[in-house]
Amino acid sequence: IKLTGVDPSWAAALGTIAMHESGGNPSVDQGGLSGYAQAHGVMQMIQATFAANALPGHTDIYNPVDNIASAIEYIKQRYGNPNNTPGIRSINSGGSYQGYATGGIALTPQLAALAENGPEAVLPLTGARGGELSDQTDLLQEAVDILKQIAAPNPKVPSSFSARMRHA
């Protein structure tokens, strides 16, 4: 913490993240299949994110000091502080640690678990499905319609959505 200059009050949240992500084990590798990013170390960082946020002279992803320092830099940039990360935010509101299952923006190719906590939409931000903005607009409208149905009494996810996701 001293190395990065963040407030010592970050320690508890960072410890919680580390315990949920790796069990505090700096040598853990998780996820990733051939050609896709794998998470490494105590804070479970993918190599590209680690490298982009590593402090000068702290380039060993398995060194817990280097890994945590890089994670701190990433958290500062992406969330402002650890209390704004999905897991800590969920815990602070009385829930369980959520990791990144609450959604986000994927900028690099990766495999992801979807719908682990219920229906989830995947919306390409580029022309991956034909290049037309109307494709993304249609998907977004369908997601909004599903959210309305889920929020209604006796929610039911339309089978057209499930069928569409099987073919996406």
Side-chain angles (χ1 to χ4, degrees), residues 54 109 126 139 156 162 166:
T126 62
L139 279 173
K156 181 179 176 187
S162 298
R166 281 194 297 272

Side-chain angles (χ1 to χ4, degrees), residues 159-168:
S159 59
S160 64
F161 179 75
S162 298
R164 187 171 183 175
M165 290 311 294
R166 281 194 297 272
H167 298 292

Side-chain angles (χ1 to χ4, degrees), residues 15-24 30 44 88 91 96-98:
T16 298
I17 293 169
M19 293 308 292
H20 280 91
E21 294 295 334
S22 69
Q30 292 183 35
Q44 287 298 283
I88 301 302
I91 289 171
S96 61
Y97 186 83
Q98 294 299 313

Side-chain angles (χ1 to χ4, degrees), residues 70-112:
S70 180
I72 288 171
E73 293 302 311
Y74 172 73
I75 289 168
K76 284 194 303 192
Q77 181 181 127
R78 174 92 164 102
Y79 300 103
N81 70 64
N83 289 319
N84 294 327
T85 62
I88 301 302
R89 195 173 57 237
S90 178
I91 289 171
N92 288 343
S93 64
S96 61
Y97 186 83
Q98 294 299 313
Y100 296 93
T102 56
I105 303 294
L107 299 175
T108 58
Q110 57 191 276
L111 294 178

Side-chain angles (χ1 to χ4, degrees), residues 29-56:
D29 293 319
Q30 292 183 35
L33 296 173
S34 179
Y36 292 92
Q38 185 175 36
H40 308 282
V42 70
M43 299 299 278
Q44 287 298 283
M45 299 190 73
I46 63 170
Q47 184 64 44
T49 302
F50 172 81
N53 293 283
L55 297 178

